[in-house]
Amino acid sequence: MISEEIYKELESIVGEKWISNEPEMLQGYTNIDRGWDSAEARMLGQNPAVVVLPANTEEVSEVIKVASRNNIGYTPVSTYFTPSAGATSDDCLQVDLKRLTTLEVDARNQNATVGSGIVYAQLQAEALKHGLYTAVPGGGSQVGVIPNHLCWGFSPLTYRVGMANRRILGLEWILPDGEIVRLGSLATGSNPFMGEGIGPDLRGLIRGSIGWNGSLGIVTKMTTKLLPIHNQKFNPLRIMKYSFLHFPEHRQRWYNFTCPSKSAMVEFMLDVAHAEIGAAMTRVPIAWRYLAKSTSKEDYWDKWAQDPDQKRKEVTETYILRFLLIGYTSEKQLEYEEKVLMKIAAKHKAEHRRTRQVDGSWMQSGDSVTMWWLTGAFMTVTGLIDALDNCIKLGEEFAKLKAQYTPPLMEDYGDEGWYQMNDMGHSGYLEFLNDWDPLDSKQNLEKKDIYFQVAGPQLLVDVGVHHFFAQIVSPLSIDNPEFGPYYGDFARKIKDAFDPNYLSNPPGFLDSLDEVIDGYPALKKAKAKICK
Amino acid sequence: MNLKEKLVKIVGTKRVIDDPAKMVPFIKGESLEPLKMPNCVVSVKDAKEAAKVVKLANKSITPVIPSSSGTHARSIIPAQGGIILDMSKMKTIHDIDKRNRKVRIEPGLTWGELNSKLKRHKMMVYNPLFPRSDSSVITTLLEREPRLNTRFEYGEQILALEMIWPTGEIFKTGTASFKKYPKGLGSGDYPYGPGPIDPLRLLQGAQGTMGIVTWANVKIEHKPKADKTFCMPFKKFDDMIEAIFAIQRKRIGFECLALDNLNLACILAKDMADDFERLRKTLPPWSLIIILTGPQYFPEEKIAYEEEALHIIRNTVFPGSKVLDIVPGFGSTHVLPDILRSPWPKKEVYWKSRLKGACQDLIFMTIMDKVPEFIAEVKKVAGNNGVDPDALGIYIQPVDFASSAHVEFNFFYNPEDAKEKAKVANAYKESIEAALKLEAHFTRPYGKVTSDLVYERASSYTGMLKKTKAALDPNNVMNPGALCF
Ligand SMILES: Cc1cc2nc3c(=O)[nH]c(=O)nc-3n(C[C@H](O)[C@H](O)[C@H](O)COP(=O)(O)OP(=O)(O)OC[C@H]3O[C@@H](n4cnc5c(N)ncnc54)[C@H](O)[C@@H]3O)c2cc1C
């Protein structure tokens, strides 16, 4: 219970204007029917009891100390694109970090320091001014830079800019008890240029394959690595409804190809990686194909409906690869890479297609609302970063599983997901995408939940691969003797050491998942049936 | 049963050594600190044996110090005695996966061994400056010795691995974390996790205090089809900074490093007695060496556009220097790629020992613009301690497109000369203090002198490190005393 006295104490830290327990305010932070249709949010989601908006690291630290002293659970939120940023426990203190708006680019040392209120659109705009760039995540440029680095950080650009784990440099972290700790070169100095620790690297506590989703304190400031790109301008093309950046075509271009088969597509991607060229390469799933031609969601469904089933099936089975080449060094680099790309394309009999030299998704602007919200609800059931061949096989397995759950999942004609190259070709990447209608019947939504929380995670056990999404949706991953083994146990050791009262975003995914499955008869029954 | 008997039960009599004379080769390297003896050396052949030893160590509260290399650049100092867990016989290459450009290797595999194996496949692991031929590839990478290849994309060379936690559980990380790995759909190309913590990060730079790696997937790359190497002479390091930034920001070249003439002469001299002094005098005070590489397709064309860009930068950014295809006093640069991509030849005295027999390295990270301040300060401190400032070797390695710099001062000394050793020890200690004042970032605090000074300044980080260690190694058995615990 957040008493009057505690409320006053918090108010004295952030000021009257930046704290509230007014029902209307709290409703704005609700985790109930937020547009998310996850079982976890549906079962555990709440309104917070109090919302505070601290202004800086020190205020966050003071707020957390008060919470810690009084045994109050708290949930950090940056831009609230995920339900884990909302209250999932009683009497929760919502710590809204949007006032932390530091944004400083150190162009010479190729990094930027951001507060938790900064989103990718802002960071990328500043970076590009200095001939530097980062990867805007697939989730869109409207998401927070810090939570994305802490939890996710995937995009076709990770082929060249590496995964977010590697881009985290010095940072300020409020531990679950409110103490401030500084990692990387900030441990002994004032310049955040480096993330490696003195000896062991404590960034290893802050995120692994995914992050803690707010369950191990709050990062208030982070320095992230930026990578050199050319210093040519991206010109905004139209504004408002269709907002694109026009590429400086002599330095940066898209190349789309139709591949004669899936195997040709795979070999094409690998050959390009082995040739050590390119800035990104990704397969284009069916939904994105229609999206690319649509001017609105309505237009999307019109176009979709115009095509008969057979045509949509054909679209799915056409393998389109999209490459991004960048002349980082000079125009001549782009010419060279284009020559190599065309040679490899010819080898695989891939046909070069026309494409517009504009971008609305990956470089700076985000189109997550259209890209992911076609039906009003979206979720990735699996994400794998590993050998491209494994990503392809896993996509095939999931397509088979999905068929059993379609409908209620949106029909996509056996589409095998979004896959791309990653980490300079040392790995591939798969996300298996799913859309459904959040207003569907209870029975259908239960079926969809079984797919996410039980059948999908069990498939991963059956085919023998650990991947990053399952760990936050299902205890079948975290507490499984097959993975790690029991990798959740080691994370719990850290949680117990730093947050013994489990106050940071309670109950936290290490424990909430059991609660969700056990408290949901349909899932419990499915688990008993599906899991060996 | 005493400890030795229990160890013998795990690995057999022959693989437990407790004769001090026989243990010396397992710990002795170059160090200004006195040698300390372990209780015994236990050689293991696989992860299962190693895990049993760690479990036993937890029961008997005995320190375990993992060791993988055939030789030790720095001595292994078992601060509190205990068991040296020798993994130098674990040399298996499980898999060379050319398709996904990785190799799965055990910790005893050395640079010399891996290099010669990969050569046959026309592949390589991007290496730091002259790893010793018989030092472990895995430990070199775990310690984050900086690559000569400055490109960010070629970093994070360790992928998924198998490890033993300090409490003795065998564990696999990343996408190798499936019980029946390598069966299943994960082949270990993703290093992070599993879960919200990252064992890889905790193991890096840990000097064996956080667990033991029993195999790791390591990135391999194609050997370039063609190379063109340039040497750019400079009078002072300060003059070189803009050149480094401009070249790196344009992503020109793969390997790039800066050496002063003392270090470069130690590396390139054919014969120290006859050739060294002449070479040192002929070499420019500073050399910036860069290798342009051509990959599988049209290699010469890639080199050509990079070379053109390099010349434009030279004309605009550093017109006072030259872009040479020779190293003055040495000859053509075309031999350098082979030299720089190999470990130091086994049969030759290590380059840092060529001048005086031994060397103490002062190493830390900083930003490029601060390097001149460090050079001035360390030279001053050396002089104040009776060490000739001009007898310090200096090596600057731009890291990740020069977004940071590895700085290395080499204090050469005669290990038989107690007076010189004492002077160097003082100069070294004072240099650390001076460097810390200038905000040097010591990511690899080797030895007690360094780690004490560094951790003292990082109180909150140190506190957190100790708490983490206590959570994962409650009995403090993994190499106690090496760092801040
Ligand atoms: C449909 C969809 C598609 C997506 N696709 C991609 C993709 O392709 N690639 C990709 O990288 N990501 C993707 N994401 C993730 C997305 O980009 C965001 O990173 C993620 O949703 C976090 O959103 P946010 O920034 O709004 O943070 P929030 O939702 O505010 O927070 C996310 C979590 O982090 C915690 N948190 C917030 N701030 C802090 C802090 N300062 N310190 C500690 N914990 C904190 C919160 O409690 C919460 O648990 C996708 C997300 C969605 C919903």
Side-chain angles (χ1 to χ4, degrees):
Chain A
M1 174 72 188
I2 303 182
S3 66
E4 185 72 33
E5 202 185 332
I6 296 170
Y7 187 94
K8 285 277 165 222
E9 206 180 340
L10 292 168
E11 189 181 80
S12 71
I13 298 166
V14 296
E16 195 185 345
K17 194 173 162 201
W18 303 109
I19 182 165
S20 178
N21 57 7
E22 297 289 329
E24 296 78 7
M25 274 304 176
L26 303 180
Q27 184 59 29
Y29 288 86
T30 190
N31 206 2
I32 305 166
D33 291 336
R34 204 184 164 79
W36 268 94
D37 184 56
S38 82
E40 194 186 342
R42 218 181 311 132
M43 292 184 61
L44 307 178
Q46 309 215 8
N47 285 8
V50 172
V51 178
V52 280
L53 290 97
N56 52 42
T57 300
E58 288 67 32
E59 283 190 14
V60 176
S61 163
E62 290 308 310
V63 164
I64 299 308
K65 278 183 184 159
V66 171
S68 175
R69 252 196 331 268
N70 294 287
N71 219 28
I72 293 167
Y74 53 87
T75 298
V77 55
S78 289
T79 46
Y80 214 155
F81 201 40
T82 49
S84 63
T88 44
S89 64
D90 296 340
D91 293 321
C92 175
L93 174 65
Q94 182 94 57
V95 185
D96 185 342
L97 301 161
K98 68 165 68 75
R99 291 177 68 212
L100 279 68
T101 50
T102 303
L103 171 53
E104 287 159 16
V105 174
D106 177 352
R108 204 150 159 89
N109 299 303
Q110 300 160 50
N111 63 55
T113 300
V114 297
S116 203
I118 293 296
V119 300
Y120 273 99
Q122 295 165 292
L123 172 63
Q124 190 76 315
E126 280 308 304
L128 288 171
K129 285 182 196 163
H130 299 278
L132 297 165
Y133 78 129
T134 185
V136 173
S141 55
Q142 83 292 352
V143 305
V145 175
I146 291 185
N148 185 258
H149 276 67
L150 290 178
C151 302
W152 308 106
F154 311 114
S155 131
L157 298 186
T158 48
Y159 172 66
R160 201 79 192 212
V161 308
M163 283 163 282
N165 306 49
R166 275 189 74 200
R167 296 194 303 268
I168 298 174
L169 305 175
L171 59 83
E172 275 178 9
W173 184 8
I174 314 297
L175 296 179
D177 61 3
E179 285 306 316
I180 304 175
V181 68
R182 293 182 174 85
L183 303 196
S185 50
L186 289 178
T188 50
S190 56
N191 191 320
F193 71 100
M194 179 136 244
E196 286 174 9
I198 305 168
D201 188 337
L202 288 179
R203 286 179 302 174
L205 298 187
I206 213 155
R207 80 160 281 173
S209 42
I210 36 95
W212 284 94
N213 275 344
S215 292
L216 201 70
I218 297 177
V219 173
T220 49
K221 212 190 249 185
M222 179 188 282
T223 302
T224 172
K225 189 181 280 298
L226 301 173
L227 280 301
I229 191 174
H230 52 72
N231 50 12
Q232 306 297 307
K233 264 194 123 161
F234 294 84
N235 288 318
L237 204 69
R238 292 180 279 187
I239 40 168
M240 297 303 289
K241 205 163 157 196
Y242 323 109
S243 144
F244 292 113
L245 290 180
H246 189 188
F247 282 173
E249 291 184 39
H250 61 302
R251 293 296 282 272
Q252 181 159 348
R253 293 182 68 85
W254 291 119
Y255 297 82
N256 283 14
F257 294 90
T258 309
C259 303
S261 65
K262 185 159 56 172
S263 62
M265 179 191 71
V266 171
E267 298 311 314
F268 189 0
M269 289 172 94
L270 279 162
D271 272 357
V272 171
H274 281 253
E276 301 175 69
I277 60 161
M281 52 177 131
T282 181
R283 182 201 166 221
V284 186
I286 177 172
W288 302 2
R289 302 266 302 282
Y290 281 92
L291 209 56
K293 293 184 198 146
S294 311
T295 54
S296 66
K297 202 186 279 187
E298 291 69 28
D299 188 37
Y300 176 96
W301 288 116
D302 285 347
K303 290 207 161 64
W304 181 271
Q306 275 161 22
D307 282 348
D309 257 14
Q310 184 54 30
K311 168 80 181 159
R312 286 185 230 144
K313 198 162 180 317
E314 276 167 32
V315 173
T316 303
E317 286 164 4
T318 313
Y319 289 95
I320 306 243
L321 267 183
R322 187 162 169 80
F323 291 88
L324 177 67
L325 301 187
I326 298 180
Y328 294 102
T329 306
S330 61
E331 234 172 294
K332 290 207 170 130
Q333 179 181 4
L334 185 59
E335 286 165 20
Y336 164 80
E337 295 206 359
E338 183 179 295
K339 184 172 167 182
V340 176
L341 184 68
M342 293 304 173
K343 188 168 168 80
I344 299 172
K347 177 178 159 195
H348 297 292
K349 302 193 169 45
E351 189 193 323
H352 190 201
R353 299 164 66 108
R354 254 167 24 96
T355 183
R356 286 178 298 166
Q357 295 306 327
V358 296
D359 177 67
S361 323
W362 305 116
M363 279 308 295
Q364 182 179 349
S365 43
D367 64 357
S368 59
V369 178
T370 47
M371 188 148 88
W372 307 113
W373 252 242
L374 292 170
T375 58
F378 164 85
M379 193 162 178
T380 299
V381 69
T382 192
L384 175 65
I385 299 179
D386 203 62
L388 183 63
D389 297 321
N390 290 336
C391 295
I392 304 284
K393 281 186 211 145
L394 191 62
E396 290 165 2
E397 293 295 329
F398 266 96
K400 279 187 245 162
L401 182 73
K402 187 178 187 176
Q404 297 171 35
Y405 292 86
T406 306
L409 298 176
M410 179 184 137
E411 174 66 82
D412 59 8
Y413 306 91
D415 191 274
E416 287 163 2
W418 159 28
Y419 31 76
Q420 60 166 59
M421 265 303 184
N422 197 53
D423 198 16
M424 208 58 205
H426 286 280
S427 49
Y429 177 98
L430 164 78
E431 262 197 63
F432 195 81
L433 316 172
N434 309 274
D435 301 85
W436 68 93
D437 179 356
L439 304 177
D440 212 334
S441 68
K442 182 168 176 272
Q443 196 188 8
N444 271 347
L445 291 179
E446 272 181 8
K447 191 171 169 190
K448 180 273 301 178
D449 287 339
I450 291 168
Y451 169 71
F452 283 117
Q453 254 89 13
V454 182
Q458 180 60 37
L459 175 64
L460 294 164
V461 182
D462 295 341
V463 299
V465 66
H466 174 268
H467 82 125
F468 48 85
F469 282 112
Q471 48 207 332
I472 57 157
V473 298
S474 179
L476 295 180
S477 181
I478 294 175
D479 296 325
N480 205 309
E482 297 292 332
F483 297 129
Y486 298 111
Y487 67 87
D489 288 359
F490 296 92
R492 278 192 190 92
K493 284 188 187 189
I494 297 300
K495 177 81 175 164
D496 290 344
F498 290 98
D499 187 17
N501 297 322
Y502 280 52
L503 297 178
S504 192
N505 205 5
F509 67 90
L510 290 178
D511 296 292
S512 65
L513 299 174
D514 289 306
E515 246 177 78
V516 170
I517 293 200
D518 291 343
Y520 188 158
L523 291 187
K524 207 170 165 188
K525 208 167 124 200
K527 189 178 159 200
K529 195 170 147 205
I530 295 172
C531 305
K532 280 111 208 171
Chain B
M1 265 201 283
N2 65 21
L3 182 69
K4 186 180 174 187
E5 287 163 344
K6 286 178 186 161
L7 288 166
V8 166
K9 219 176 144 200
I10 298 171
V11 298
T13 330
K14 283 194 189 144
R15 289 194 276 132
V16 180
I17 302 171
D18 60 353
D19 172 351
K22 288 188 183 153
M23 289 197 291
V24 171
F26 289 92
I27 55 170
K28 193 168 166 32
E30 281 167 22
S31 176
L32 293 167
E33 292 176 37
L35 273 190
K36 262 194 182 155
M37 277 296 151
N39 298 28
C40 59
V41 175
V42 177
S43 296
V44 290
K45 66 172 188 335
D46 57 26
K48 280 191 186 141
E49 280 187 359
K52 281 183 191 163
V53 173
V54 175
K55 284 202 170 129
L56 174 62
N58 271 280
K59 272 195 195 138
S60 55
I61 316 290
T62 311
V64 179
I65 302 101
S67 165
S68 303
S69 293
T71 54
H72 307 292
R74 288 163 281 275
S75 298
I76 291 189
I77 306 203
Q80 301 172 15
I83 305 162
I84 300 274
L85 188 82
D86 168 40
M87 292 181 287
S88 61
K89 312 275 178 332
M90 290 172 62
K91 287 180 181 293
T92 309
I93 299 178
H94 289 285
D95 182 24
I96 297 180
D97 175 4
K98 272 184 84 169
R99 191 168 167 85
N100 299 299
R101 308 201 326 265
K102 69 175 188 299
V103 60
R104 183 154 69 95
I105 56 173
E106 290 188 339
L109 192 78
T110 65
W111 282 96
E113 291 156 350
L114 183 59
N115 234 39
S116 67
K117 189 89 185 177
L118 291 178
K119 239 181 203 160
R120 277 178 252 156
H121 296 268
K122 299 198 172 72
M123 303 295 284
M124 63 182 293
V125 173
Y126 277 111
N127 55 278
L129 182 63
F130 300 127
R132 285 167 202 254
S133 184
D134 44 10
S135 64
S136 155
V137 177
I138 286 186
T139 52
T140 308
L141 299 181
L142 275 179
E143 283 303 301
R144 308 169 298 210
E145 291 191 22
R147 271 168 299 122
L148 298 178
N149 179 328
T150 55
R151 293 201 169 204
F152 175 80
E153 304 91 306
Y154 293 86
E156 197 80 292
Q157 290 166 286
I158 300 188
L159 302 168
L161 53 83
E162 182 186 73
M163 64 176 288
I164 297 166
W165 288 104
T167 34
E169 299 90 342
I170 299 177
F171 191 84
K172 297 188 201 86
T173 66
T175 47
S177 65
F178 179 56
K179 202 173 181 181
K180 297 191 201 99
Y181 177 88
K183 288 191 182 135
L185 280 191
S187 56
D189 305 78
Y190 181 64
Y192 308 118
I197 63 167
D198 192 357
L200 170 65
R201 288 279 178 267
L202 298 175
L203 290 163
Q204 281 173 325
Q207 297 179 36
T209 58
M210 288 290 185
I212 300 166
V213 175
T214 47
W215 51 249
N217 285 293
V218 167
K219 284 181 184 173
I220 55 175
E221 310 291 353
H222 289 281
K223 260 199 179 262
K225 277 242 163 112
D227 298 297
K228 198 158 184 183
T229 307
F230 296 104
C231 174
M232 289 157 270
F234 289 87
K235 288 208 177 76
K236 291 203 306 266
F237 182 80
D238 313 34
D239 304 336
M240 203 186 261
I241 295 178
E242 295 308 324
I244 294 177
F245 271 127
I247 293 168
Q248 291 299 318
R249 280 294 287 268
K250 285 277 180 194
R251 302 184 183 229
I252 298 170
F254 270 20
E255 290 93 340
C256 176
L257 70 161
L259 290 159
D260 72 353
N261 56 2
L262 177 56
N263 271 352
L264 194 54
C266 284
I267 290 165
L268 295 179
K270 286 187 187 69
D271 183 294
M272 288 303 278
D274 294 344
D275 199 28
F276 169 77
E277 273 308 330
R278 178 202 62 79
L279 189 56
R280 188 181 175 185
K281 282 195 191 116
T282 337
L283 287 169
W286 280 92
S287 297
L288 181 63
I289 295 168
I290 184 162
I291 307 180
L292 312 191
T293 62
Q296 311 304 300
Y297 289 90
F298 314 115
E300 309 298 344
E301 290 181 33
K302 181 183 170 205
I303 289 174
Y305 80 70
E306 289 202 349
E307 189 177 346
E308 184 183 304
L310 179 62
H311 284 292
I312 293 171
I313 289 174
R314 186 249 159 194
N315 293 340
T316 49
V317 179
F318 59 103
S321 179
K322 294 186 179 113
V323 176
L324 304 172
D325 55 11
I326 55 144
V327 179
F330 170 75
S332 169
T333 54
H334 82 271
V335 293
L336 291 183
D338 248 6
I339 297 178
L340 289 170
R341 289 180 191 145
S342 304
W344 190 258
K346 199 171 177 175
K347 52 185 190 309
E348 283 181 29
V349 177
Y350 192 61
W351 73 275
K352 291 183 188 175
S353 306
R354 287 181 98 190
L355 191 61
K356 291 194 162 183
C359 173
Q360 174 67 44
D361 300 331
L362 172 68
I363 46 179
F364 53 84
M365 304 297 299
T366 185
I367 51 171
M368 204 54 82
D369 282 327
K370 286 194 82 163
V371 173
E373 263 182 88
F374 285 107
I375 294 178
E377 192 62 21
V378 172
K379 286 201 167 202
K380 193 172 100 195
V381 172
N384 291 347
N385 282 279
V387 173
D388 177 5
D390 291 330
L392 284 182
I394 311 178
Y395 159 43
I396 309 296
Q397 178 60 56
V399 173
D400 290 346
F401 299 123
S403 57
S404 61
H406 159 94
V407 178
E408 180 168 328
F409 292 94
N410 307 107
F411 289 81
F412 301 112
Y413 66 92
N414 175 356
E416 311 304 329
D417 181 341
K419 266 194 193 155
E420 189 180 29
K421 239 176 130 172
K423 275 188 206 165
V424 164
N426 285 336
Y428 173 68
K429 184 168 180 241
E430 282 187 27
S431 298
I432 298 171
E433 287 163 343
L436 278 169
K437 280 194 192 131
L438 292 174
E439 299 199 353
H441 183 43
F442 283 82
T443 53
R444 295 191 279 147
Y446 294 121
K448 193 162 164 44
V449 172
T450 322
S451 65
D452 282 356
L453 287 170
V454 174
Y455 284 116
E456 196 183 280
R457 272 183 76 97
S459 57
S460 62
Y461 193 87
T462 307
M464 188 150 181
L465 212 45
K466 286 183 175 169
K467 216 166 165 178
T468 307
K469 171 81 166 168
L472 299 174
D473 185 6
N475 297 318
N476 197 18
V477 295
M478 292 307 304
N479 204 2
L483 294 171
C484 57
F485 22 66

